[in-house]
Amino acid sequence: METTPDRLIESTRELLWERGYVGTSPKAIQQRSGVGQGSMYHHFSGKPELALAAVRRTAEQMRETAERELALPGTAVERVSRYLRRERDVLRGCPIGRLTQDPEVVTSPQLRAPLDETFEWLRGRLADVLAEGQARGEIAPGLDTGDIAATLVAVLQGGYVLARAAGTAAPFDQAVSGALALLAQRA
Amino acid sequence: METTPDRLIESTRELLWERGYVGTSPKAIQQRSGVGQGSMYHHFSGKPELALAAVRRTAEQMRETAERELALPGTAVERVSRYLRRERDVLRGCPIGRLTQDPEVVTSPQLRAPLDETFEWLRGRLADVLAEGQARGEIAPGLDTGDIAATLVAVLQGGYVLARAAGTAAPFDQAVSGALALLAQRA
């Protein structure tokens, strides 16, 4: 059974994804979760603490999903391709990336930390996959795998931005296809 | 001399960039511009109309800047590189891209239209530059220039996201370097 803190964290996760930090009020969290004000403040000191718990849980899930896809066998391009092309609700955007637009999140060292750690971990993990492929001759020896990893994470995050502007997933798919075609040039 | 509508539009532009649409109140626009409520509603019917004028002006400036950089001579990689590497206030993010995270903007066909048009124009313009380079043999013949153009715009938009998460421009610069290295592989 879901506990009261769990219900509060899940509702906060949904609201942060849909409306961002500034647009999420303690009252909205209470309404969405069906948890009363007294009970909410019994478990959490307030919106910042709840948001931090929600962002940490989202970040953990993102890492688990990425790790699952990237751990599968194949060439570097195949593994990266599987991760970039995995099923995504593109128009909903990224629950981590969208928070970087919230001024109150990026100016709070505590709230910004899990965003930075998640992207840094993902860049590092992709750089490892690319370096393995480079050692096997799948990727040109002169390329900086750390830079390419940053490029790939940026393509995903920017792809969400373009898709939301267009009202369709098409530019996200195009951006991913372009990146993979550039990466596969040698192969 | 700046007119009252100009002052209102400029203040709205700044606030949208800093705080987004949901976080920008008519009261904040009045305070920032020093224009009274009566005068504001004499010139604009309300926040949506003011935001639309502000977004259109920002989009126009973005296009002018991009056109200026991309029109300069050079190989396709040089021209694209000049545009991607031009001086940017990276941590401030993109005034157009950040609005795609605002639920009230993306669900309004009127407010979303200038975002979509701007990115579509930029993708088309970059695709033209790449196609010219492809015709001269600078870019591999098999590559889809429309896809690569989407990749490059996504790298910029995603680069802003990564930089804001990290609190430094470094991941933006890495993402751009990686994209340019992949593009220049043939050359």
Side-chain angles (χ1 to χ4, degrees):
Chain A
M1 229 199 70
E2 221 183 23
T3 64
T4 300
D6 269 338
R7 277 225 306 284
L8 285 163
I9 291 173
E10 283 308 311
S11 300
T12 305
R13 266 153 51 93
E14 288 170 17
L15 286 163
L16 287 178
W17 200 349
E18 291 163 22
R19 311 198 47 85
Y21 187 79
V22 174
T24 296
S25 66
K27 186 148 196 82
I29 297 170
Q30 289 156 33
Q31 283 169 347
R32 176 82 55 121
S33 63
V35 172
Q37 177 170 321
S39 179
M40 182 176 117
Y41 286 108
H42 170 71
H43 291 290
F44 295 96
S45 61
K47 182 170 123 172
E49 197 189 347
L50 249 171
L52 188 59
V55 173
R56 282 198 181 132
R57 187 175 291 183
T58 299
E60 201 182 302
Q61 288 186 357
M62 256 185 74
R63 279 168 71 143
E64 279 171 17
T65 308
E67 186 48 48
R68 206 166 37 237
E69 306 276 345
L70 290 170
L72 293 171
T75 65
V77 176
E78 280 165 359
R79 291 163 76 194
V80 165
S81 175
R82 201 150 40 205
Y83 175 62
L84 296 187
R85 290 202 188 283
R86 79 176 179 80
E87 215 181 339
R88 291 168 194 274
D89 193 349
V90 170
L91 288 181
R92 237 184 135 188
C94 172
I96 297 290
R98 78 98 62 224
L99 292 176
T100 62
Q101 300 306 325
D102 259 307
E104 291 180 23
V105 172
V106 291
T107 54
S108 154
Q110 256 208 322
L111 283 172
R112 189 171 60 72
L115 313 184
D116 188 25
E117 286 159 18
T118 304
F119 288 132
E120 213 175 294
W121 174 83
L122 184 56
R123 274 155 44 206
R125 191 68 189 85
L126 285 167
D128 288 346
V129 171
L130 293 168
E132 286 174 38
Q134 199 172 39
R136 288 191 302 257
E138 297 156 18
I139 288 161
L143 291 176
D144 182 315
T145 53
D147 286 356
I148 312 283
T151 303
L152 297 175
V153 181
V155 163
L156 286 180
Q157 292 299 318
Y160 287 123
V161 170
L162 299 186
R164 284 176 66 92
T168 145
F172 178 97
D173 295 333
Q174 276 196 289
V176 165
S177 294
L180 291 172
L182 287 171
L183 196 61
Q185 271 186 97
R186 188 181 170 85
Chain B
M1 229 200 68
E2 218 183 23
T3 65
T4 300
D6 269 337
R7 277 224 306 283
L8 286 162
I9 291 173
E10 283 306 312
S11 300
T12 306
R13 267 154 51 93
E14 289 170 14
L15 286 163
L16 287 178
W17 199 349
E18 291 164 23
R19 310 198 47 84
Y21 187 79
V22 174
T24 297
S25 66
K27 186 147 198 85
I29 299 171
Q30 289 157 33
Q31 282 169 346
R32 176 84 53 123
S33 63
V35 173
Q37 177 170 321
S39 178
M40 182 176 117
Y41 286 108
H42 170 73
H43 291 289
F44 295 95
S45 60
K47 181 170 124 174
E49 197 188 348
L50 247 171
L52 189 60
V55 173
R56 282 199 181 129
R57 187 175 292 183
T58 299
E60 203 180 301
Q61 287 185 359
M62 255 185 72
R63 280 168 71 140
E64 279 171 15
T65 308
E67 188 48 47
R68 204 164 41 236
E69 306 275 346
L70 290 169
L72 293 172
T75 66
V77 176
E78 281 166 357
R79 291 162 75 196
V80 165
S81 175
R82 199 152 41 207
Y83 174 61
L84 296 188
R85 290 201 188 283
R86 78 176 179 79
E87 213 179 342
R88 291 168 195 273
D89 192 349
V90 170
L91 288 181
R92 235 185 136 187
C94 171
I96 296 292
R98 78 100 59 226
L99 292 175
T100 63
Q101 299 306 327
D102 258 306
E104 291 179 22
V105 172
V106 290
T107 55
S108 155
Q110 256 207 325
L111 283 172
R112 189 172 59 74
L115 313 184
D116 188 26
E117 287 159 17
T118 305
F119 287 132
E120 214 175 294
W121 174 84
L122 184 55
R123 274 154 44 204
R125 191 69 189 86
L126 285 167
D128 289 346
V129 171
L130 293 168
E132 286 174 39
Q134 201 171 38
R136 287 191 302 256
E138 298 157 17
I139 288 162
L143 291 175
D144 183 314
T145 52
D147 285 356
I148 312 284
T151 303
L152 296 175
V153 181
V155 163
L156 286 180
Q157 291 299 318
Y160 287 124
V161 170
L162 299 186
R164 284 176 66 91
T168 146
F172 178 97
D173 294 334
Q174 274 196 289
V176 165
S177 293
L180 291 171
L182 286 172
L183 195 63
Q185 271 186 96
R186 191 181 170 86

Short mmCIF file of all heavy atoms in Angstrom, two decimals, chain B residues 29-72:
data_model
loop_
_atom_site.label_atom_id
_atom_site.label_comp_id
_atom_site.label_asym_id
_atom_site.label_seq_id
_atom_site.Cartn_x
_atom_site.Cartn_y
_atom_site.Cartn_z
N ILE B 29 4.74 43.49 -14.63
CA ILE B 29 5.02 44.24 -15.87
C ILE B 29 4.87 45.74 -15.60
O ILE B 29 5.70 46.55 -16.02
CB ILE B 29 4.09 43.78 -17.02
CG1 ILE B 29 4.31 42.29 -17.33
CG2 ILE B 29 4.32 44.64 -18.27
CD1 ILE B 29 3.29 41.69 -18.29
N GLN B 30 3.82 46.11 -14.88
CA GLN B 30 3.62 47.53 -14.55
C GLN B 30 4.78 48.06 -13.71
O GLN B 30 5.30 49.15 -13.95
CB GLN B 30 2.30 47.70 -13.80
CG GLN B 30 1.05 47.50 -14.67
CD GLN B 30 -0.17 47.12 -13.84
OE1 GLN B 30 -0.31 47.55 -12.70
NE2 GLN B 30 -1.03 46.28 -14.40
N GLN B 31 5.18 47.28 -12.71
CA GLN B 31 6.28 47.73 -11.84
C GLN B 31 7.58 47.88 -12.60
O GLN B 31 8.28 48.87 -12.46
CB GLN B 31 6.45 46.76 -10.67
CG GLN B 31 5.39 46.97 -9.59
CD GLN B 31 5.37 45.86 -8.54
OE1 GLN B 31 5.96 44.81 -8.75
NE2 GLN B 31 4.68 46.09 -7.44
N ARG B 32 7.92 46.88 -13.44
CA ARG B 32 9.17 46.91 -14.19
C ARG B 32 9.21 48.06 -15.19
O ARG B 32 10.23 48.71 -15.37
CB ARG B 32 9.36 45.57 -14.91
CG ARG B 32 10.55 45.44 -15.81
CD ARG B 32 11.83 45.05 -15.11
NE ARG B 32 11.78 43.87 -14.30
CZ ARG B 32 12.57 42.79 -14.44
NH1 ARG B 32 13.44 42.75 -15.42
NH2 ARG B 32 12.50 41.78 -13.63
N SER B 33 8.06 48.33 -15.84
CA SER B 33 8.03 49.34 -16.90
C SER B 33 7.75 50.73 -16.35
O SER B 33 7.98 51.73 -17.05
CB SER B 33 6.95 48.98 -17.92
OG SER B 33 5.67 48.98 -17.30
N GLY B 34 7.24 50.81 -15.14
CA GLY B 34 6.84 52.09 -14.59
C GLY B 34 5.60 52.67 -15.28
O GLY B 34 5.35 53.87 -15.23
N VAL B 35 4.83 51.80 -15.93
CA VAL B 35 3.60 52.23 -16.61
C VAL B 35 2.42 51.83 -15.72
O VAL B 35 2.38 50.73 -15.19
CB VAL B 35 3.48 51.55 -18.00
CG1 VAL B 35 2.13 51.84 -18.63
CG2 VAL B 35 4.61 52.02 -18.92
N GLY B 36 1.47 52.72 -15.58
CA GLY B 36 0.31 52.44 -14.71
C GLY B 36 -0.66 51.46 -15.33
O GLY B 36 -0.64 51.21 -16.54
N GLN B 37 -1.54 50.92 -14.49
CA GLN B 37 -2.49 49.90 -14.93
C GLN B 37 -3.42 50.42 -16.03
O GLN B 37 -3.65 49.74 -17.02
CB GLN B 37 -3.31 49.45 -13.71
CG GLN B 37 -4.39 48.44 -14.06
CD GLN B 37 -5.02 47.81 -12.80
OE1 GLN B 37 -4.32 47.53 -11.82
NE2 GLN B 37 -6.31 47.59 -12.83
N GLY B 38 -3.93 51.65 -15.85
CA GLY B 38 -4.86 52.21 -16.84
C GLY B 38 -4.21 52.34 -18.20
O GLY B 38 -4.77 51.95 -19.23
N SER B 39 -2.96 52.85 -18.19
CA SER B 39 -2.23 53.04 -19.45
C SER B 39 -1.91 51.71 -20.10
O SER B 39 -1.99 51.55 -21.32
CB SER B 39 -0.96 53.84 -19.16
OG SER B 39 -0.22 54.01 -20.33
N MET B 40 -1.55 50.69 -19.27
CA MET B 40 -1.23 49.38 -19.82
C MET B 40 -2.45 48.80 -20.54
O MET B 40 -2.34 48.32 -21.67
CB MET B 40 -0.79 48.43 -18.70
CG MET B 40 -0.40 47.06 -19.20
SD MET B 40 0.24 45.98 -17.90
CE MET B 40 -1.00 44.69 -17.96
N TYR B 41 -3.63 48.88 -19.89
CA TYR B 41 -4.83 48.30 -20.51
C TYR B 41 -5.40 49.20 -21.62
O TYR B 41 -6.29 48.78 -22.35
CB TYR B 41 -5.87 47.95 -19.45
CG TYR B 41 -5.47 46.72 -18.66
CD1 TYR B 41 -5.03 46.82 -17.33
CD2 TYR B 41 -5.47 45.46 -19.25
CE1 TYR B 41 -4.63 45.70 -16.62
CE2 TYR B 41 -5.07 44.33 -18.55
CZ TYR B 41 -4.66 44.45 -17.23
OH TYR B 41 -4.26 43.34 -16.54
N HIS B 42 -4.88 50.42 -21.72
CA HIS B 42 -5.24 51.27 -22.87
C HIS B 42 -4.52 50.74 -24.13
O HIS B 42 -5.08 50.72 -25.22
CB HIS B 42 -4.85 52.72 -22.58
CG HIS B 42 -4.96 53.62 -23.76
ND1 HIS B 42 -6.17 54.04 -24.28
CD2 HIS B 42 -4.01 54.15 -24.57
CE1 HIS B 42 -5.95 54.80 -25.34
NE2 HIS B 42 -4.65 54.89 -25.54
N HIS B 43 -3.27 50.30 -23.96
CA HIS B 43 -2.47 49.86 -25.10
C HIS B 43 -2.63 48.37 -25.42
O HIS B 43 -2.49 47.97 -26.56
CB HIS B 43 -0.99 50.17 -24.86
CG HIS B 43 -0.68 51.64 -24.88
ND1 HIS B 43 -0.72 52.37 -26.05
CD2 HIS B 43 -0.37 52.50 -23.89
CE1 HIS B 43 -0.41 53.63 -25.77
NE2 HIS B 43 -0.20 53.74 -24.46
N PHE B 44 -2.81 47.54 -24.40
CA PHE B 44 -2.88 46.08 -24.59
C PHE B 44 -4.09 45.53 -23.82
O PHE B 44 -4.38 45.97 -22.72
CB PHE B 44 -1.59 45.41 -24.10
CG PHE B 44 -0.38 45.81 -24.89
CD1 PHE B 44 0.44 46.85 -24.46
CD2 PHE B 44 -0.06 45.15 -26.08
CE1 PHE B 44 1.56 47.23 -25.20
CE2 PHE B 44 1.06 45.52 -26.81
CZ PHE B 44 1.87 46.57 -26.38
N SER B 45 -4.74 44.52 -24.42
CA SER B 45 -5.94 43.97 -23.79
C SER B 45 -5.59 43.18 -22.52
O SER B 45 -6.45 42.96 -21.67
CB SER B 45 -6.69 43.06 -24.77
OG SER B 45 -5.86 41.99 -25.16
N GLY B 46 -4.32 42.75 -22.40
CA GLY B 46 -3.94 42.00 -21.21
C GLY B 46 -2.63 41.28 -21.41
O GLY B 46 -1.93 41.51 -22.41
N LYS B 47 -2.30 40.40 -20.47
CA LYS B 47 -1.02 39.68 -20.50
C LYS B 47 -0.83 38.86 -21.79
O LYS B 47 0.26 38.91 -22.36
CB LYS B 47 -0.92 38.78 -19.25
CG LYS B 47 0.37 37.99 -19.14
CD LYS B 47 0.50 37.34 -17.77
CE LYS B 47 0.69 35.83 -17.90
NZ LYS B 47 0.95 35.14 -16.63
N PRO B 48 -1.86 38.14 -22.29
CA PRO B 48 -1.62 37.35 -23.50
C PRO B 48 -1.19 38.22 -24.69
O PRO B 48 -0.26 37.87 -25.43
CB PRO B 48 -2.97 36.67 -23.77
CG PRO B 48 -3.66 36.63 -22.44
CD PRO B 48 -3.21 37.87 -21.72
N GLU B 49 -1.85 39.36 -24.88
CA GLU B 49 -1.51 40.22 -26.03
C GLU B 49 -0.11 40.81 -25.87
O GLU B 49 0.66 40.91 -26.83
CB GLU B 49 -2.55 41.33 -26.19
CG GLU B 49 -2.49 41.98 -27.57
CD GLU B 49 -3.37 43.21 -27.71
OE1 GLU B 49 -4.21 43.47 -26.82
OE2 GLU B 49 -3.21 43.93 -28.72
N LEU B 50 0.21 41.23 -24.65
CA LEU B 50 1.54 41.78 -24.38
C LEU B 50 2.62 40.72 -24.59
O LEU B 50 3.67 40.99 -25.19
CB LEU B 50 1.60 42.26 -22.93
CG LEU B 50 1.72 43.75 -22.71
CD1 LEU B 50 1.54 44.06 -21.23
CD2 LEU B 50 3.06 44.28 -23.20
N ALA B 51 2.34 39.51 -24.11
CA ALA B 51 3.32 38.42 -24.25
C ALA B 51 3.53 38.11 -25.72
O ALA B 51 4.67 37.89 -26.16
CB ALA B 51 2.83 37.17 -23.50
N LEU B 52 2.46 38.10 -26.49
CA LEU B 52 2.58 37.81 -27.92
C LEU B 52 3.47 38.86 -28.61
O LEU B 52 4.36 38.51 -29.40
CB LEU B 52 1.19 37.77 -28.56
CG LEU B 52 1.15 37.27 -30.01
CD1 LEU B 52 1.70 35.86 -30.12
CD2 LEU B 52 -0.29 37.33 -30.55
N ALA B 53 3.25 40.14 -28.30
CA ALA B 53 4.08 41.20 -28.88
C ALA B 53 5.54 41.02 -28.45
O ALA B 53 6.46 41.19 -29.26
CB ALA B 53 3.56 42.57 -28.45
N ALA B 54 5.75 40.65 -27.20
CA ALA B 54 7.11 40.47 -26.68
C ALA B 54 7.80 39.30 -27.36
O ALA B 54 8.95 39.40 -27.79
CB ALA B 54 7.07 40.26 -25.16
N VAL B 55 7.10 38.17 -27.48
CA VAL B 55 7.68 36.98 -28.09
C VAL B 55 7.99 37.25 -29.56
O VAL B 55 9.04 36.84 -30.07
CB VAL B 55 6.74 35.76 -27.94
CG1 VAL B 55 7.26 34.57 -28.72
CG2 VAL B 55 6.58 35.39 -26.47
N ARG B 56 7.09 37.95 -30.25
CA ARG B 56 7.34 38.26 -31.67
C ARG B 56 8.59 39.12 -31.83
O ARG B 56 9.39 38.90 -32.73
CB ARG B 56 6.13 39.00 -32.26
CG ARG B 56 4.98 38.05 -32.57
CD ARG B 56 4.02 38.70 -33.55
NE ARG B 56 2.90 37.82 -33.85
CZ ARG B 56 1.62 38.17 -33.78
NH1 ARG B 56 1.27 39.40 -33.42
NH2 ARG B 56 0.67 37.31 -34.08
N ARG B 57 8.78 40.07 -30.95
CA ARG B 57 9.96 40.93 -31.06
C ARG B 57 11.24 40.13 -30.79
O ARG B 57 12.25 40.29 -31.49
CB ARG B 57 9.86 42.13 -30.10
CG ARG B 57 10.99 43.13 -30.33
CD ARG B 57 10.87 44.37 -29.51
NE ARG B 57 9.73 45.23 -29.91
CZ ARG B 57 9.46 46.40 -29.35
NH1 ARG B 57 10.23 46.86 -28.37
NH2 ARG B 57 8.45 47.12 -29.76
N THR B 58 11.21 39.27 -29.78
CA THR B 58 12.37 38.43 -29.47
C THR B 58 12.69 37.50 -30.64
O THR B 58 13.86 37.34 -31.01
CB THR B 58 12.09 37.59 -28.19
OG1 THR B 58 11.86 38.49 -27.11
CG2 THR B 58 13.26 36.69 -27.86
N ALA B 59 11.66 36.91 -31.22
CA ALA B 59 11.85 35.99 -32.34
C ALA B 59 12.49 36.71 -33.53
O ALA B 59 13.40 36.19 -34.18
CB ALA B 59 10.52 35.38 -32.75
N GLU B 60 12.02 37.93 -33.79
CA GLU B 60 12.55 38.73 -34.90
C GLU B 60 14.05 39.00 -34.69
O GLU B 60 14.85 38.86 -35.61
CB GLU B 60 11.79 40.06 -34.91
CG GLU B 60 11.77 40.80 -36.21
CD GLU B 60 10.98 42.10 -36.02
OE1 GLU B 60 9.79 42.05 -35.65
OE2 GLU B 60 11.58 43.17 -36.20
N GLN B 61 14.43 39.35 -33.45
CA GLN B 61 15.83 39.64 -33.17
C GLN B 61 16.69 38.38 -33.31
O GLN B 61 17.82 38.45 -33.79
CB GLN B 61 15.97 40.21 -31.76
CG GLN B 61 15.45 41.64 -31.67
CD GLN B 61 15.69 42.27 -30.32
OE1 GLN B 61 16.23 41.63 -29.42
NE2 GLN B 61 15.28 43.52 -30.15
N MET B 62 16.15 37.23 -32.88
CA MET B 62 16.89 35.97 -33.00
C MET B 62 17.17 35.65 -34.46
O MET B 62 18.26 35.20 -34.81
CB MET B 62 16.09 34.82 -32.39
CG MET B 62 16.60 34.37 -31.04
SD MET B 62 15.68 32.91 -30.46
CE MET B 62 16.31 31.62 -31.54
N ARG B 63 16.18 35.87 -35.30
CA ARG B 63 16.34 35.60 -36.73
C ARG B 63 17.36 36.54 -37.35
O ARG B 63 18.22 36.11 -38.14
CB ARG B 63 15.01 35.75 -37.46
CG ARG B 63 14.13 34.54 -37.31
CD ARG B 63 12.72 34.81 -37.77
NE ARG B 63 12.63 34.94 -39.21
CZ ARG B 63 11.60 34.43 -39.93
NH1 ARG B 63 10.63 33.77 -39.32
NH2 ARG B 63 11.56 34.59 -41.22
N GLU B 64 17.29 37.81 -36.99
CA GLU B 64 18.25 38.79 -37.54
C GLU B 64 19.68 38.41 -37.17
O GLU B 64 20.59 38.46 -38.00
CB GLU B 64 17.94 40.20 -37.03
CG GLU B 64 16.81 40.87 -37.81
CD GLU B 64 16.36 42.17 -37.17
OE1 GLU B 64 17.08 42.70 -36.30
OE2 GLU B 64 15.25 42.64 -37.53
N THR B 65 19.89 38.04 -35.90
CA THR B 65 21.24 37.66 -35.45
C THR B 65 21.72 36.43 -36.20
O THR B 65 22.86 36.40 -36.70
CB THR B 65 21.22 37.35 -33.94
OG1 THR B 65 20.61 38.44 -33.27
CG2 THR B 65 22.62 37.13 -33.40
N ALA B 66 20.87 35.41 -36.28
CA ALA B 66 21.26 34.17 -36.97
C ALA B 66 21.58 34.45 -38.43
O ALA B 66 22.59 33.98 -38.97
CB ALA B 66 20.15 33.14 -36.85
N GLU B 67 20.74 35.24 -39.07
CA GLU B 67 20.93 35.54 -40.49
C GLU B 67 22.26 36.26 -40.70
O GLU B 67 22.99 35.97 -41.66
CB GLU B 67 19.76 36.39 -41.01
CG GLU B 67 19.78 36.61 -42.52
CD GLU B 67 20.00 35.32 -43.32
OE1 GLU B 67 19.33 34.33 -43.02
OE2 GLU B 67 20.85 35.33 -44.23
N ARG B 68 22.59 37.19 -39.80
CA ARG B 68 23.83 37.96 -39.92
C ARG B 68 25.04 37.03 -39.87
O ARG B 68 25.96 37.15 -40.68
CB ARG B 68 23.89 38.99 -38.78
CG ARG B 68 24.76 40.17 -39.08
CD ARG B 68 24.52 41.36 -38.15
NE ARG B 68 24.34 40.97 -36.76
CZ ARG B 68 23.27 41.28 -36.02
NH1 ARG B 68 22.28 41.99 -36.55
NH2 ARG B 68 23.18 40.90 -34.77
N GLU B 69 25.04 36.07 -38.93
CA GLU B 69 26.18 35.15 -38.79
C GLU B 69 26.26 34.17 -39.96
O GLU B 69 27.33 33.89 -40.47
CB GLU B 69 26.05 34.32 -37.49
CG GLU B 69 25.86 35.14 -36.24
CD GLU B 69 27.18 35.61 -35.64
OE1 GLU B 69 28.22 35.08 -36.05
OE2 GLU B 69 27.15 36.52 -34.80
N LEU B 70 25.10 33.63 -40.34
CA LEU B 70 25.09 32.57 -41.35
C LEU B 70 25.35 33.10 -42.76
O LEU B 70 25.77 32.35 -43.64
CB LEU B 70 23.76 31.81 -41.30
CG LEU B 70 23.57 30.94 -40.05
CD1 LEU B 70 22.14 30.43 -39.95
CD2 LEU B 70 24.55 29.77 -40.04
N ALA B 71 25.11 34.39 -42.98
CA ALA B 71 25.29 34.97 -44.32
C ALA B 71 26.76 35.22 -44.63
O ALA B 71 27.13 35.40 -45.79
CB ALA B 71 24.50 36.27 -44.43
N LEU B 72 27.63 35.21 -43.60
CA LEU B 72 29.05 35.45 -43.84
C LEU B 72 29.65 34.32 -44.69
O LEU B 72 29.14 33.21 -44.68
CB LEU B 72 29.80 35.56 -42.50
CG LEU B 72 29.43 36.79 -41.66
CD1 LEU B 72 30.06 36.71 -40.27
CD2 LEU B 72 29.88 38.09 -42.33
#
